[in-house]
């Protein structure tokens, strides 16, 4: 690009923002389902309160993900409009999402094993 702006304010930033919103919404809905289903299948009464923890953590993460994605998009748009690619946000949000999903998989496996062995 010779002499032009670095940033084309097309629909790509909006699509990315919508994708992050859908991801946060999916985590929130999955967490609500976990809050509804996990206590119903609790194998032992002494663990009944612990079955709520994954759903509550998931709801909290969904809200934080939504807010962080909005802040990231505002920062990204500001950096691109100022033609300063050195201020572009990193991949921290994606790393956080990956770690959350891996943690959910580990907790799900542990809860499944608890339910099977009880």
């Amino acid at each position: 690009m010779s002499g032009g702006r670095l940033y084309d304010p097309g629909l790509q930033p909006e699509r990315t923002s919508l994708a992050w919103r859908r991801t946060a919404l999916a985590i929130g809905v999955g967490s609500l389902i976990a809050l509804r289903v996990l206590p119903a299948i609790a194998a032992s009464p002494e663990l009944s309160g612990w079955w709520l923890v994954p759903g509550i953590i998931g709801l909290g993460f969904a809200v934080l993900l939504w807010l962080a994605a909005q802040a990231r998009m505002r920062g990204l748009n500001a950096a691109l409009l100022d033609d300063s690619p050195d201020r572009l946000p990193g991949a921290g949000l994606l790393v956080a999402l990956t770690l959350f999903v891996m943690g959910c998989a580990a907790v799900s496996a542990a809860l499944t094993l608890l339910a099977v062995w009880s």
Side-chain angles (χ1 to χ4, degrees), residues 48-102:
S48 61
W50 288 102
W51 292 90
L52 296 174
V53 173
I56 293 170
I57 290 173
L59 281 175
F61 183 78
V63 169
L64 289 176
L65 181 66
W66 186 298
L67 296 174
Q70 294 305 314
R72 182 184 189 279
M73 193 52 58
R74 281 191 302 272
L76 177 65
N77 281 333
L80 290 174
L81 286 173
D82 292 341
D83 282 340
S84 55
D86 54 328
R87 288 188 15 220
L88 292 175
L93 195 58
L94 187 58
V95 170
L97 178 63
T98 302
L99 292 175
F100 174 76
V101 169
M102 289 172 49

Side-chain angles (χ1 to χ4, degrees), residues 16-34:
T16 302
S17 178
L18 289 172
W20 279 109
R21 285 181 188 179
R22 283 191 306 268
T23 301
L25 182 63
I27 290 172
V29 168
S31 299
L32 287 174
I33 291 171

